Amino acid sequence: MKYQRLSLAACFLLLLFNLTAFSQSDSGRLEIAFPLKHLKQTSGFGWRIHPITGEFHFHKGVDLAARNDTVFSIMNGVVCKIGNNPLIGNYILITHPDDVQSLYGHLSAIAVLPDDKVTAGQLIGITGATGRVTGEHLHFSIKYHGHELSPLAFLCGMNALPP
Ligand SMILES: [Zn+2]
Protein backbone atom coordinates (compact mmCIF):
# COMPACT_ATOMS: atom_id res chain seq x y z
CA MET A 1 0.00 0.00 0.00
CA LYS A 2 1.25 3.48 -0.80
CA TYR A 3 0.40 6.52 1.26
CA GLN A 4 -0.33 9.58 -0.72
CA ARG A 5 0.12 13.03 0.61
CA LEU A 6 -2.69 15.45 0.82
CA SER A 7 -2.15 19.17 0.96
CA LEU A 8 -1.87 20.75 4.36
CA ALA A 9 -4.52 23.20 3.28
CA ALA A 10 -7.01 20.38 3.10
CA CYS A 11 -6.06 19.29 6.57
CA PHE A 12 -6.49 22.75 7.93
CA LEU A 13 -9.89 22.86 6.32
CA LEU A 14 -10.74 19.66 8.12
CA LEU A 15 -9.59 21.19 11.38
CA LEU A 16 -11.34 24.45 10.69
CA PHE A 17 -14.65 22.73 10.47
CA ASN A 18 -13.67 20.54 13.40
CA LEU A 19 -15.00 17.49 11.64
CA THR A 20 -15.74 14.46 13.64
CA ALA A 21 -13.86 11.30 12.93
CA PHE A 22 -14.70 9.36 9.84
CA SER A 23 -15.43 5.94 11.04
CA GLN A 24 -13.44 2.96 10.31
CA SER A 25 -15.02 2.40 7.02
CA ASP A 26 -18.49 1.69 6.10
CA SER A 27 -17.26 0.95 2.62
CA GLY A 28 -14.59 -1.39 3.88
CA ARG A 29 -11.96 0.36 1.80
CA LEU A 30 -10.27 2.13 4.66
CA GLU A 31 -9.25 0.94 8.01
CA ILE A 32 -8.48 4.20 9.64
CA ALA A 33 -9.90 6.24 12.49
CA PHE A 34 -9.07 9.51 14.19
CA PRO A 35 -7.27 9.26 17.54
CA LEU A 36 -10.01 11.32 19.21
CA LYS A 37 -13.65 11.73 18.39
CA HIS A 38 -13.15 15.44 17.76
CA LEU A 39 -9.90 16.86 16.44
CA LYS A 40 -8.91 20.31 17.53
CA GLN A 41 -5.23 21.09 17.16
CA THR A 42 -3.69 23.23 19.88
CA SER A 43 -0.07 22.93 18.71
CA GLY A 44 1.08 21.87 15.27
CA PHE A 45 3.80 19.73 13.76
CA GLY A 46 7.05 21.58 13.15
CA TRP A 47 9.29 24.23 14.64
CA ARG A 48 7.92 26.06 17.64
CA ILE A 49 8.89 27.74 20.88
CA HIS A 50 8.36 25.11 23.53
CA PRO A 51 5.60 26.27 25.92
CA ILE A 52 7.57 25.18 29.00
CA THR A 53 11.28 25.39 28.16
CA GLY A 54 10.97 28.48 25.95
CA GLU A 55 13.39 26.83 23.53
CA PHE A 56 13.04 26.67 19.78
CA HIS A 57 12.61 23.04 18.90
CA PHE A 58 10.90 20.73 16.46
CA HIS A 59 7.56 19.42 17.67
CA LYS A 60 7.42 15.92 16.20
CA GLY A 61 3.69 15.49 16.58
CA VAL A 62 0.52 17.45 17.12
CA ASP A 63 -1.22 18.39 20.33
CA LEU A 64 -4.94 17.88 20.30
CA ALA A 65 -7.39 19.41 22.75
CA ALA A 66 -8.82 16.80 25.07
CA ARG A 67 -10.56 16.37 28.37
CA ASN A 68 -10.87 12.88 29.72
CA ASP A 69 -11.47 11.71 26.18
CA THR A 70 -11.31 8.24 24.76
CA VAL A 71 -8.23 7.60 22.60
CA PHE A 72 -8.58 5.33 19.59
CA SER A 73 -5.99 3.41 17.60
CA ILE A 74 -5.87 5.02 14.17
CA MET A 75 -5.24 1.77 12.29
CA ASN A 76 -5.03 -1.96 12.83
CA GLY A 77 -1.76 -2.93 14.45
CA VAL A 78 0.07 -4.37 17.40
CA VAL A 79 0.97 -2.56 20.60
CA CYS A 80 4.74 -2.19 20.46
CA LYS A 81 5.28 -0.49 23.79
CA ILE A 82 3.52 1.21 26.66
CA GLY A 83 5.29 3.19 29.33
CA ASN A 84 5.86 6.37 31.22
CA ASN A 85 8.33 9.03 30.29
CA PRO A 86 9.03 12.39 31.97
CA LEU A 87 8.26 14.21 28.72
CA ILE A 88 5.28 12.44 27.15
CA GLY A 89 3.95 10.87 30.34
CA ASN A 90 1.99 7.68 29.97
CA TYR A 91 2.21 6.65 26.35
CA ILE A 92 1.27 3.95 23.86
CA LEU A 93 3.30 3.13 20.78
CA ILE A 94 1.54 1.03 18.14
CA THR A 95 3.13 -0.61 15.11
CA HIS A 96 0.97 -0.75 11.98
CA PRO A 97 1.48 -2.41 8.60
CA ASP A 98 3.89 -0.83 6.10
CA ASP A 99 6.27 0.42 8.79
CA VAL A 100 3.91 3.01 10.23
CA GLN A 101 3.96 3.70 13.96
CA SER A 102 1.60 5.86 15.98
CA LEU A 103 2.29 7.35 19.39
CA TYR A 104 -0.24 8.65 21.92
CA GLY A 105 1.08 10.59 24.92
CA HIS A 106 0.13 12.32 28.21
CA LEU A 107 -2.52 9.66 28.87
CA SER A 108 -4.26 9.26 32.22
CA ALA A 109 -5.07 5.61 31.53
CA ILE A 110 -3.82 2.89 29.22
CA ALA A 111 -6.17 0.11 28.19
CA VAL A 112 -3.80 -2.11 26.22
CA LEU A 113 -0.73 -4.23 26.87
CA PRO A 114 2.37 -4.83 24.77
CA ASP A 115 1.76 -7.32 21.93
CA ASP A 116 -2.00 -6.73 22.03
CA LYS A 117 -3.57 -6.68 18.60
CA VAL A 118 -5.66 -3.58 18.05
CA THR A 119 -8.04 -2.52 15.31
CA ALA A 120 -8.69 0.89 13.82
CA GLY A 121 -11.05 2.77 16.10
CA GLN A 122 -10.40 0.56 19.11
CA LEU A 123 -10.33 2.24 22.53
CA ILE A 124 -6.73 2.16 23.76
CA GLY A 125 -6.65 4.75 26.55
CA ILE A 126 -7.92 7.95 28.10
CA THR A 127 -6.38 11.39 27.64
CA GLY A 128 -4.68 13.09 30.57
CA ALA A 129 -1.97 15.50 31.61
CA THR A 130 0.90 13.18 32.55
CA GLY A 131 4.48 14.11 31.68
CA ARG A 132 5.65 17.63 30.88
CA VAL A 133 2.51 19.57 30.01
CA THR A 134 0.88 22.88 30.71
CA GLY A 135 -2.56 21.30 30.52
CA GLU A 136 -4.41 18.23 29.39
CA HIS A 137 -4.06 17.28 25.74
CA LEU A 138 -3.22 14.34 23.52
CA HIS A 139 0.23 14.34 21.95
CA PHE A 140 -0.11 12.29 18.78
CA SER A 141 2.63 11.45 16.33
CA ILE A 142 3.23 9.26 13.30
CA LYS A 143 6.42 7.65 12.13
CA TYR A 144 6.69 6.29 8.61
CA HIS A 145 9.86 4.29 7.92
CA GLY A 146 11.35 5.79 11.07
CA HIS A 147 10.65 9.41 10.22
CA GLU A 148 8.03 11.60 11.82
CA LEU A 149 5.39 12.88 9.44
CA SER A 150 2.78 15.52 9.96
CA PRO A 151 0.18 13.31 11.64
CA LEU A 152 -2.83 15.20 10.37
CA ALA A 153 -1.53 15.26 6.81
CA PHE A 154 -1.05 11.52 7.15
CA LEU A 155 -4.61 10.97 8.35
CA CYS A 156 -6.03 13.22 5.67
CA GLY A 157 -3.96 11.48 3.03
CA MET A 158 -5.16 8.09 4.17
CA ASN A 159 -8.73 9.26 4.07
CA ALA A 160 -8.23 10.53 0.53
CA LEU A 161 -6.90 7.29 -0.92
CA PRO A 162 -8.83 6.15 -3.98
CA PRO A 163 -11.00 3.06 -3.62
ZN1 LIG B 1 3.11 17.49 21.73
Side-chain angles (χ1 to χ4, degrees):
M1 183 199 290
K2 280 239 163 113
Y3 298 110
Q4 76 180 33
R5 287 184 171 208
L6 192 88
S7 75
L8 274 176
C11 285
F12 286 135
L13 268 183
L14 259 178
L15 288 172
L16 207 62
F17 292 107
N18 198 12
L19 292 185
T20 52
F22 36 87
S23 74
Q24 114 187 23
S25 114
D26 305 296
S27 63
R29 77 188 172 90
L30 281 174
E31 291 180 336
I32 188 154
F34 281 173
L36 295 173
K37 193 173 176 199
H38 299 276
L39 295 189
K40 186 173 176 225
Q41 177 179 283
T42 55
S43 184
F45 177 82
W47 291 99
R48 70 169 183 178
I49 304 282
H50 192 278
I52 291 176
T53 64
E55 286 169 13
F56 197 54
H57 87 136
F58 198 93
H59 187 219
K60 292 177 174 177
V62 288
D63 294 341
L64 301 170
R67 183 175 287 189
N68 241 351
D69 286 318
T70 306
V71 180
F72 306 103
S73 174
I74 57 156
M75 295 164 66
N76 296 345
V78 176
V79 177
C80 171
K81 203 173 169 186
I82 62 173
N84 179 275
N85 160 314
L87 298 179
I88 54 168
N90 297 324
Y91 69 90
I92 303 171
L93 178 67
I94 299 180
T95 300
H96 306 287
D98 300 309
D99 205 6
V100 173
Q101 286 189 312
S102 60
L103 175 76
Y104 313 79
H106 307 308
L107 305 176
S108 62
I110 292 177
V112 289
L113 291 170
D115 299 327
D116 277 1
K117 275 192 177 175
V118 293
T119 55
Q122 181 179 326
L123 183 161
I124 54 171
I126 303 291
T127 62
T130 57
R132 197 170 67 182
V133 295
T134 52
E136 178 169 351
H137 67 272
L138 177 71
H139 174 88
F140 168 62
S141 71
I142 291 283
K143 266 190 187 179
Y144 179 51
H145 291 296
H147 298 282
E148 279 90 1
L149 298 182
S150 163
L152 297 181
F154 175 83
L155 287 177
C156 292
M158 287 295 289
N159 194 34
L161 286 175

